[in-house]
Amino acid sequence: MRLAAGLGIALALGAAGGGWWLPAGALVAGLLALCAPRVAVGGVGGVAAGPGTPTRPSAARVLARLGLGSRLSRRVAGDEPPTDAPPSDEGPLPPGSGLAREAPPSGEALAPPSGEAVAPASGERAVPPASGARREPPPSDAGPRPPRPAARRAFRPSATTHLPPRAVPLLTAARTVARLALVPVFASACGTYLLPQYRVPVALAVVVIVAAGDGAGAVLPRFVRGWVLGILLVGAAGLVALCLAIAPERGVGSGPGFAGIFAAAAVLFPLLTRQKPDRWLAGTVVVAAVLCAVALHQLGPVRLGLSDAPLRDLLAAVDGQAIEPLLAGIVVIATVPAALGALTGARGALPRPSGSLLCGLLAAAGAVFLTPAQALLVAAALALAEVLVTSLLTLPHARSVVSAALAITLLAWIPGLDLLLALAVLALGVLVVRRPAAPRAA
């Protein structure tokens, strides 16, 4: 969904910086997303990860804290004392109290109250009623499961990662601002394709809608996300078919050389989802490379790089002006859910609706004062900064070394003004996230 929401802007920037190397830039961006370490740290106001601190609680504890777990889940989480047996100084359980019966002594079975037979579990032997015999579990030949290597667990989102406490605010701020910077990109893309002459008001309306939705706790159900993904894939397939069916008009110019591959990768990198499984990332990279290739085939690098709305110009080149309203509808379907997901991820642990209002105000400022191209460049710089910070904190793993080198290389191709703006935003995020130091004990 991210890719479809921002590709209408990234195609022009990628073609201007990478030329014919734009599809290869998508592969480089995918390689960086694959190598980037995945460290699970709480969002703004989250719990700082330190030595021995798990970065993700157990399922039972999460259910108990949300009030959705059973009595067993609450008991496992430690929020409710066990009620299977009363304290020794309070006597027997009162009738109708709803508490469990007293556990039998060791070696005895708990017979059902009605004298009925106990239903055997899977693989167990049935026990006749009132026989007094105990059920025996089936023999198990399988030994304990061997633990996964520590090198693989270190980069899983659910792994326990040991980070110094002073580094947590920097990593949390980098992750927060990287997600928040995508909201102006998606809002501006919606305004560019829906009503180009009123791009800023439309972008503000999108930000207001997603901020209000996040403040109200709106979350897209899974089947809705599936339908949106299906619509986007059908639209992409139709665009590819049109570009391949119509012979292109050969333009002049060849665009930048091989070094432009890094500029193209820097622009496409923030549109790749790094929290999904690797097969999802691979599919996203393939789709991005195919769409970039057909756009270059039809328009050429010079014409594509000079376009303000590449997808609209692509339809005009294949005589598809009649379906431009359909393109605008697909862009709205892609950008609004993507902006909602980005704002929700940026809000993190901030409470609703105050956290949603704060993130919405910052995103609205970006949508008003930045052009779509500038917003995407700032988002790219912040996304690469997040990868660089995470890689430096998880050294000396091989994947951290590769991702840090790639992130520095791609950051070098971001324009200086946009890079300085991204650094200022990151510094502001660190100041907001950092907590006051606890007073030392006397």
Side-chain angles (χ1 to χ4, degrees), residues 1 4 222-238 280 330 333:
M1 217 175 296
R222 185 174 182 179
F223 75 93
V224 175
R225 296 197 301 268
W227 274 103
V228 170
L229 179 61
I231 292 173
L232 297 178
L233 289 178
V234 170
W280 184 280
I330 292 178
I333 291 175

Side-chain angles (χ1 to χ4, degrees), residues 3-26:
L3 178 65
L7 193 61
I9 300 174
L11 280 175
L13 282 177
W20 292 105
W21 295 98
L22 178 58

Side-chain angles (χ1 to χ4, degrees), residues 243-271:
C243 292
L244 296 179
I246 306 296
E249 296 181 4
R250 299 299 177 185
V252 295
S254 59
F258 173 77
I261 189 175
F262 300 109
V267 170
L268 293 173
F269 177 73
L271 304 181

Side-chain angles (χ1 to χ4, degrees), residues 343-367:
L343 191 139
T344 302
R347 181 182 53 80
L350 287 177
R352 294 187 176 100
S354 58
S356 304
L357 178 61
L358 175 61
C359 293
L361 290 176
L362 296 176

Side-chain angles (χ1 to χ4, degrees), residues 4-5 14 57 176 191 194-196 202 220 251 270 274 278 288 309 324 330 332 334 363 374 377 411 419 422:
T176 300
L194 187 61
L195 292 173
V202 173
L220 290 181
R274 302 181 296 279
D278 294 342
E324 284 187 4
I330 292 178
V332 172
Q374 290 175 336
L377 289 173
L411 278 171
L419 189 58

Side-chain angles (χ1 to χ4, degrees), residues 99-138:
L99 301 177
R101 291 182 295 166
E102 184 177 359
S106 175
E108 296 184 10
L110 184 61
S114 58
E116 300 173 357
V118 179
S122 175
E124 296 182 355
R125 186 176 55 188
V127 179
S131 63
R134 299 178 61 187
R135 291 197 304 267
E136 297 180 359

Side-chain angles (χ1 to χ4, degrees), residues 255-346:
F258 173 77
I261 189 175
F262 300 109
V267 170
L268 293 173
F269 177 73
L271 304 181
L272 301 180
T273 303
R274 302 181 296 279
Q275 287 73 33
K276 299 290 184 179
D278 294 342
R279 61 181 182 274
W280 184 280
L281 175 62
T284 306
V285 171
V286 170
V287 172
V290 170
L291 290 175
C292 292
V294 297
L296 286 172
H297 169 74
Q298 189 61 233
L299 296 180
V302 176
R303 186 178 174 186
L304 184 61
L306 295 175
S307 175
D308 293 331
L311 297 180
R312 186 186 297 117
D313 294 343
L314 201 58
L315 284 183
V318 297
D319 298 330
Q321 294 90 339
I323 60 175
E324 284 187 4
L326 180 61
L327 173 64
I330 292 178
V331 169
V332 172
I333 291 175
T335 53
V336 174
L340 176 61
L343 191 139
T344 302

